[in-house]
Every structure is written in structure tokens, then in C-alpha cells.
Amino acid sequence: MFARIDPDARWSDGEPITVDDVFFMFFLYQSPYVRAPWYNNFYTRNYTHVTRYDDHTFALGMPEMKPDIVSRLLELEPMPEHFFKELGDDFPERYQWRFKPTSGPYVVRDEDIKKGVSIALTRNKDWWARDKKFWRYRFNYDRIHLTVIRDTSKAFEAFKKGEIDRFGLTLPEYWYEKLPDDDPLVRDGYIAKTVFYNQIPRPTYGLWMNEAKPLLDNRDIRVGIQYATNWDLVIKEYFRGDYVRMRTTADGYGEFTDPTLQPREYSVDKALDAFARAGFTKRGDDGILVNDAGQRLSFTLTTGYDNLRDVLTILREQAAKAGLEFRLEVLDGTAAWKKVQEKQHDITLTAFSVSPEMYPRYWETYHSVNAWDQAFLPDGSVNPARKPKTQTNNLQSIAIPELDARIEAYRASEDVAEMKRLAFEMEKTLYDDASFSPGFVMPFYRTGYWRWISWPEDFNVKLSSTVGEYYLGWIDQDLKKEVQEARKAGKTYPPKVEVYDQYRDE
């Protein structure tokens, strides 16, 4: 693939962007300095060579002619070679708090970094791409101030006071209860509410079971947990029926998402049958199943989502009806992710964010090399001395030779039909393995914002996962002053509650 860098392209410090920065990008991401094995693998596995023709023209070699080969080139981000003059073994520590020159519209100034408190982005008035076709009319905010408010309820109150310009209202309690349509701020037209249906690969909200843990290495136990997990009730009661059930690990990828697979339903009888096959046939005094050795059918369910605490409560209550105990553990996001990355969890409620790509990825999450230090012996048998590999995305410790083979074939394939077949086969294997219980899908996002923020006529692009992702809004300063004065004077506006469903699934 051949590419030419726009000769106008400049780093935010004024230096030109050249092919040398492309070369340096590969050097950095393939080096041990970054301490990031995923980057080491990705930039080594997916590219074979880079060729320089002049300061702006280069070619990349790739091992396969993948159907999304153009994006594999055009979505690369060169790295400013001139900035990393002090590159060495202490790279993360040395550069942690230094702002790297960017090709984008915003910069971070040293004086705008207040560690643990706030950070501000300032628009680069000399941004080279401001008048380019696909960049103009975006990035309109001159300054974006990000403040750390650790308590969500306090952040919401700051929003209602006008100290924050917009606030996410996707969770039902905020949309229906904390800021209902008859709230004076909404009724009087000061704050607008918007629902926007998008079309994106869906974050993988669900229960991730760690097969490296006792009992969870038994498929019958995992199948039983699937049937004992009442996602439909969660969607009906907690999410007010607004969300839908996730079906696979790869929802939202169009033709690459298997339309036939359906998640297991909630069924106490089917759960009990599965648990009985694993030797759990008797209930204790508290109703939780025990086996002949007196071992309780009990697991710690960990999450870093404090706002989903009530979801866990529903799951625990429903699981108990099937003789399964969930011991709930709600940690802060950092602590929960640290535990999961160290593979110390039993079961976790979490999700991976996914990018709008043509087809799903499987190697990072499901290949055995990301589950164990050495999953199998040379003869293909399970290595009895294997140890879980930490700091990877294989949260279930899945190691299935047949799945590994399909993943490798999928990565190497250049044929869309073959990739679809392999994707469907891998999803069926993951369904049979039963270590991921598909949770819920948010087919939209909901936002509250003060009336002085304006948006395009159709609000946003269908690939947006959040309201601010593509920087399409702008602030009308005159209207902001008018609204603030109107509130003081008691003047009202027509309420503004809008639904944009042009991209909604039929």
C-alpha cells in the first residue's frame, strides 16, 4: 500500500510531519521501551516493512490483503521523532507528564495540568487541517476543561448548576428520575435532553468467568451460571426495557455478526440440571447448593462499575433461586481492573470498548497465548504446570486448540466469505465454552446539555459512541449569556426533548 502525507501537515509545535515519523512509530511500538506487549505484537504481526521514497511518500508491506487493508494504513498515527530525544528504558516515567506534539487540533499546556484535579485542552489556532474537507466545521470549542469529580452524584449536581455544560443520561435513573422531562430545568427549556441511536460494534457488557479458578474450569458449572443469570429481568426492571440483550461476543459488526446465535435464557430448572451434572445436588440451609464434599456453589462477582451496583443485586437475587451464590464486590474502576488484569477474579461484570472496525478481533481476547504462559505441551496436551498470563485481554483464561487454529486462519485470511465462516464458527465455540454470559446492549446514548450548546441538524454521525466523540458541537456565547440572564429573570423557553432515530435498527 502506498501513501503520501499531506505536505501541509505539521505537528502542534510547528515541525513538519514526514516519513521519518512513520519510521519512528514502528521503531517505538516494536521496542521494549513502551512496555506494552499488545503494541509490540500488533506492529510486528500486521506489517512486514516500510519503504521511504521521499519526505512525504512511503509504502507499507502487509502479510495479507485483508478486506480492511486501507484502514490499516490510513489509521496509523506517525510519532514525532524529534520529541523523543531522551528515549530509553525509563520511557514511561520520563514521558508520562510531557505533552507529545500532536497532528490534531488541541494542545495541553503545562500550566493546564493539575494532577488529580483537572486538565484543559486548548485549540491550536494555527492547526494545519482546520480548513481541510473532513476536518472543517469540527473542533469548534476554543477550550475544553476536564475536571475530576469522583462522585457521580456531585458531578450531576454541578451540571444542574451550569458548572458543567453537558452530562450523560444514558442510565435510566438519570433520564427518568434525576432529570425527568418535568424537571423545571427541562420544562423551562434551559437544559435539553437528547436520545441518539447509533450503529457501532457494541461494548461487551456481560459476565466474564475465569476458567483458571476452581469449579469454573467445569463447563457444566459455567452453563449453569448462564441459565442462572437473569439478564432479561435486569433489562426490564433496571434499564426500563430500553436496552436489549446482547447475543454474542461480537454484536454490531454487520455481516460478520452471526444472526442465528441466541443467548441462553434464564431458567432455574436448566441451571439446576447443569449444576447437578457437576455434582451439586443438595441445597444448604440458606438455599445455596453444595456438593458431597460440602463445597458451596459460591463465587465472587467483581465489578468496577459502581453505577451498576443495583444490576448486581438483581443478578444475585435471581441466581440464589437456582442455588448459586454471587458474593458481590464493587471496587473503584482502577482496583477492579487491576484485579482482573492479574487474573485474580472469579467472575467479573465488565466490558471492552470496541472501535468501529469492519470485523471483530479474536486473538487478543481468546487465543491461548494470552491466557497462559505455556498453555499446551509440544504434543498438544494441556500443560499441567501452566500459569495464568497476566496483563492480557483473555479474561476467561480460554485455551482451546481448535479455537487457536481458527483464530490464526482468520487473521491470515484475505477472503471475506472465509472470514465470516470462521467468525461464526468461533462464536459457536465461545457459546459452547459458556465462559461469557452476554449481558446488554445500549442501542443509543442519552445526553443532557445546556441550551447554549448547538449541534448539526442530524445531531451526530452514526458511528459515534458518545456525544462528544467527533467534536461536532459548538457554544453560542450570546445565547449562553441570554439563558443565564433569562434564568435570573424567570423567562422560559420551549422544552427541548429530542429523539434522533435515523440509524435505529428496524
Side-chain angles (χ1 to χ4, degrees):
M1 292 286 292
F2 295 83
R4 182 168 174 79
I5 297 172
D6 190 325
D8 295 337
R10 295 288 185 275
W11 296 111
S12 52
D13 60 3
E15 291 292 321
I17 300 175
T18 70
V19 175
D20 290 343
D21 298 314
V22 176
F23 271 73
F24 182 76
M25 171 196 65
F26 280 103
F27 165 76
L28 182 64
Y29 285 142
Q30 291 179 354
S31 77
Y33 300 133
V34 293
R35 302 182 198 171
W38 185 91
Y39 283 89
N40 293 157
N41 175 273
F42 183 86
Y43 284 89
T44 300
R45 164 64 180 77
N46 292 299
Y47 303 93
T48 59
H49 64 276
V50 55
T51 303
R52 182 186 191 277
Y53 293 93
D54 57 41
D55 283 350
H56 299 107
T57 310
F58 68 96
L60 284 183
M62 304 180 199
E64 304 94 16
M65 181 69 77
K66 302 294 286 186
D68 64 339
I69 192 169
V70 174
S71 67
R72 293 198 176 207
L73 169 63
L74 296 182
E75 291 180 4
L76 291 175
E77 180 185 1
M79 297 289 279
E81 180 183 24
H82 66 279
F83 176 72
F84 294 97
K85 297 294 186 184
E86 303 169 27
L87 185 64
D89 292 337
D90 63 347
F91 165 75
E93 295 79 16
R94 182 178 293 271
Y95 284 95
Q96 175 73 19
W97 291 102
R98 297 187 188 183
F99 176 71
K100 174 178 66 67
T102 175
S103 62
Y106 291 99
V107 297
V108 177
R109 303 180 302 199
D110 290 343
E111 62 268 26
D112 290 332
I113 300 175
K114 296 178 174 57
K115 298 179 182 179
V117 178
S118 67
I119 189 169
L121 310 180
T122 301
R123 197 174 195 275
N124 182 359
K125 296 184 183 302
D126 297 320
W127 183 40
W128 67 275
R130 64 183 180 274
D131 295 321
K132 301 291 183 180
K133 181 176 181 180
F134 292 105
W135 302 102
R136 61 189 178 188
Y137 313 133
R138 296 170 58 192
F139 310 102
N140 300 300
Y141 305 122
D142 290 329
R143 186 174 170 85
I144 301 173
H145 189 79
L146 306 171
T147 302
V148 176
I149 304 178
R150 299 187 185 280
D151 187 286
T152 305
S153 60
K154 291 181 179 178
F156 180 67
E157 290 306 314
F159 166 65
K160 294 184 71 174
K161 293 177 182 177
E163 297 171 2
I164 296 175
D165 291 297
R166 67 173 189 251
F167 192 88
L169 301 175
T170 299
L171 285 177
E173 65 177 298
Y174 285 93
W175 183 262
Y176 292 108
E177 297 170 9
K178 295 188 176 182
L179 194 68
D181 293 352
D182 60 359
D183 184 286
L185 289 171
V186 179
R187 183 193 63 213
D188 295 341
Y190 304 128
I191 287 180
K193 296 173 64 178
T194 293
V195 182
F196 183 81
Y197 286 84
N198 53 11
Q199 284 286 347
I200 58 172
R202 302 302 178 181
T204 48
Y205 285 101
L207 299 188
W208 302 68
M209 308 174 208
N210 185 359
E211 297 181 21
K213 291 292 185 176
L215 295 183
L216 292 173
D217 58 352
N218 186 318
R219 180 181 178 274
D220 288 325
I221 294 292
R222 301 194 300 271
V223 170
I225 293 173
Q226 296 269 352
Y227 286 118
T229 304
N230 198 342
W231 287 114
D232 289 335
L233 188 64
V234 166
I235 291 169
K236 178 182 177 181
E237 291 193 352
Y238 184 75
F239 294 126
R240 313 294 179 91
D242 294 340
Y243 295 8
V244 296
R245 181 78 193 272
M246 174 164 270
R247 298 188 299 104
T248 72
T249 73
D251 284 8
Y253 284 94
E255 62 180 324
F256 285 91
T257 298
D258 189 336
T260 65
L261 275 181
Q262 296 296 327
R264 295 174 177 87
E265 75 280 10
Y266 176 73
S267 170
V268 171
D269 290 340
K270 291 181 180 180
L272 290 173
D273 288 344
F275 293 145
R277 292 194 297 271
F280 287 84
T281 57
K282 304 174 183 177
R283 290 184 183 258
D285 294 338
D286 59 357
I288 301 303
L289 290 167
V290 296
N291 59 18
D292 290 341
Q295 187 177 19
R296 288 166 53 83
L297 189 61
S298 178
F299 303 97
T300 299
L301 175 51
T302 303
T303 192
Y305 303 134
D306 182 69
N307 55 0
L308 297 182
R309 185 185 295 267
D310 291 343
V311 169
L312 297 189
T313 300
I314 294 173
L315 295 181
R316 179 183 62 187
E317 292 173 351
Q318 294 297 302
K321 296 178 181 179
L324 170 65
E325 181 183 45
F326 282 148
R327 303 186 301 270
L328 305 187
E329 181 181 53
V330 181
L331 306 174
D332 71 69
T334 301
W337 187 243
K338 182 175 185 292
K339 179 175 182 177
V340 169
Q341 283 289 281
E342 292 175 351
K343 310 297 173 71
Q344 296 301 310
H345 63 291
D346 289 344
I347 305 172
T348 182
L349 169 58
T350 192
F352 284 110
S353 295
V354 285
S355 301
E357 298 176 309
M358 176 183 282
Y359 49 84
R361 303 183 186 190
Y362 291 95
W363 181 85
E364 295 91 334
T365 314
Y366 304 112
H367 198 288
S368 65
V369 298
N370 295 312
W372 306 88
D373 57 349
Q374 185 181 351
F376 306 107
L377 297 175
D379 63 2
S381 61
V382 173
N383 178 9
R386 65 185 185 179
K387 298 178 181 178
K389 182 179 287 188
T390 61
Q391 306 302 317
T392 76
N393 289 353
N394 193 327
L395 307 186
Q396 299 136 279
S397 301
I398 285 182
I400 304 173
E402 295 79 11
L403 180 60
D404 287 351
R406 288 192 176 99
I407 290 174
E408 293 296 342
Y410 179 79
R411 296 179 86 193
S413 177
E414 300 177 351
D415 181 72
V416 169
E418 180 185 36
M419 291 180 66
K420 286 173 56 178
R421 175 182 60 79
L422 288 167
F424 290 7
E425 290 175 356
M426 287 187 285
E427 285 298 332
K428 182 61 168 61
T429 298
L430 294 171
Y431 174 87
D432 292 340
D433 181 75
S435 57
F436 174 70
S437 174
F440 52 86
V441 165
M442 297 171 280
F444 54 76
Y445 54 82
R446 296 187 285 222
T447 307
Y449 56 92
W450 282 87
R451 194 178 190 90
W452 54 72
I453 299 184
S454 299
W455 306 92
E457 184 177 340
D458 55 357
F459 194 72
N460 222 313
V461 297
K462 70 177 181 179
L463 292 178
S464 60
S465 58
T466 63
V467 66
E469 183 176 5
Y470 287 88
Y471 294 84
L472 301 182
W474 66 95
I475 292 177
D476 186 327
Q477 295 289 358
D478 293 335
L479 182 58
K480 181 174 182 179
K481 182 178 179 181
E482 177 188 310
V483 171
Q484 291 172 334
E485 292 177 350
R487 285 190 69 197
K488 295 177 183 178
K491 174 186 174 182
T492 63
Y493 299 89
K496 193 176 182 181
V497 180
E498 299 175 323
V499 177
Y500 294 88
D501 59 1
Q502 63 266 39
Y503 303 119
R504 185 175 187 174
D505 287 327
E506 296 181 358

